Amino acid sequence: PSFEELHKRLYGIQLDDGDNRTHVIFNFSNPYGLRPNFKSYPHSNLLPEFFADLLDALAPEGGPRFIVEVGSLHGHSAIQMATVLDRLGFTEVPILCIDPFTGDT
């Protein structure tokens, strides 16, 4: 499904690019006022070497086709994964990050 179809299914409203109130990303509420800053918050438990080794293990199966990260917070691990994927030529593999992005732990 397209982003628009998923948006409609998940949120029950049709996405209107001209109206940010209907867009879940643009209309995101951030009650804690958190802003990602990878210079002062470089935290990720995912080491690029470990992820590259995991991709090597998946290589006989053709590599990953879709990645889901649950608990993204600021998304640093997703950026680590995307960087490794790009470096290894998996530039078309989507990463879905699932998190309320409110900073709750």
Side-chain angles (χ1 to χ4, degrees):
S2 69
F3 177 80
E4 290 78 9
E5 291 168 330
L6 285 174
H7 192 282
K8 172 81 170 152
R9 288 182 198 171
L10 290 171
Y11 301 103
I13 56 173
Q14 188 67 39
L15 176 66
D16 177 358
D17 284 328
D19 182 359
N20 287 349
R21 294 173 300 166
T22 67
H23 197 292
V24 66
I25 295 170
F26 294 138
N27 193 33
F28 171 70
S29 90
N30 185 355
Y32 299 99
L34 295 175
R35 296 286 178 254
N37 181 340
F38 297 112
K39 292 181 179 160
S40 66
Y41 188 80
H43 177 73
S44 175
N45 288 325
L46 179 65
L47 299 175
E49 298 80 16
F50 174 80
F51 186 62
D53 290 344
L54 181 62
L55 293 175
D56 285 342
L58 293 173
E61 303 296 322
R65 292 185 291 277
F66 188 81
I67 296 174
V68 177
E69 180 188 36
V70 179
S72 298
L73 190 58
H74 289 272
H76 193 74
S77 294
I79 291 171
Q80 296 259 44
M81 287 188 283
T83 301
V84 172
L85 287 167
D86 285 351
R87 188 182 73 220
L88 297 177
F90 294 107
T91 58
E92 299 297 318
V93 176
I95 301 174
L96 173 65
C97 299
I98 300 173
D99 198 298
F101 300 104
T102 59
D104 295 351
T105 56

